[in-house]
Amino acid sequence: MSVRAIPSPLWPSYTPLPRSGKPNDYLDGAGPPVPHFTVPPGGLKEVSPAKLLAADPDLPHALRYWVQHCRKPDCRLHSPAYPDLTGDGRTILLLNFEFNGYTTLAGYVASGDSVRSVLDYSGEKVRVGTVGHDLVVEESGDSHKTTRYRWNGEQLAPVRLDSPPPVRNP
């Protein structure tokens, strides 16, 4: 009998805000480099999360607006997380923004001196953690679903929970 791996939370003190309204969009995929946005000399850890989210044209206009005009407690932009989800030691900048009971996760990698989106996810009552190099997103709103994301060399792509990790050749 195998024991199910429990994700290590990235935001352990996080409590989802209560829901009201509907999400603007569901996003899932990767995007080109964020235009007119360069990686600072110190890397992704020096990137301003709010400025990056506001500059990302792949995020809905309404979300970019709320990031710029966020008024607590209605919305929260959590501290960024920098997990190694690629398996090669390169960190991903993972951002968690809440508005009106919904959470948007945005993941970015440095690509040369530019920043490229590798994950966009929106959902209700979202908790996020890692299992090894996988990102696990648990949504406890109306849909009650768990999605596991794995680096495929280009982006964080959803995988079935019962699929084995990729075999890496030495």
Side-chain angles (χ1 to χ4, degrees), residues 6-23:
I6 298 176
S8 300
L10 293 174
W11 293 278
S13 62
Y14 162 72
T15 302
L17 292 170
R19 172 186 160 182
S20 62
K22 295 182 177 182

Side-chain angles (χ1 to χ4, degrees), residues 75-128:
C75 61
R76 293 187 274 189
L77 177 58
H78 294 272
S79 298
Y82 303 94
D84 173 10
L85 300 174
T86 61
D88 62 4
R90 181 172 59 155
T91 59
I92 288 179
L93 168 59
L94 194 61
L95 301 176
N96 176 339
F97 178 76
E98 288 181 90
F99 174 71
N100 211 12
Y102 290 90
T103 300
T104 295
L105 298 173
Y108 299 93
V109 293
S111 179
D113 65 349
S114 63
V115 177
R116 189 169 71 85
S117 171
V118 295
L119 174 74
D120 292 317
Y121 179 94
S122 290
E124 179 188 2
K125 296 181 182 174
V126 173
R127 292 208 182 268
V128 184

Side-chain angles (χ1 to χ4, degrees), residues 50-65:
K51 287 181 181 178
L52 177 56
L53 289 174
D56 188 347
D58 288 340
L59 295 178
H61 175 74
L63 176 63
R64 292 193 319 265
Y65 174 84

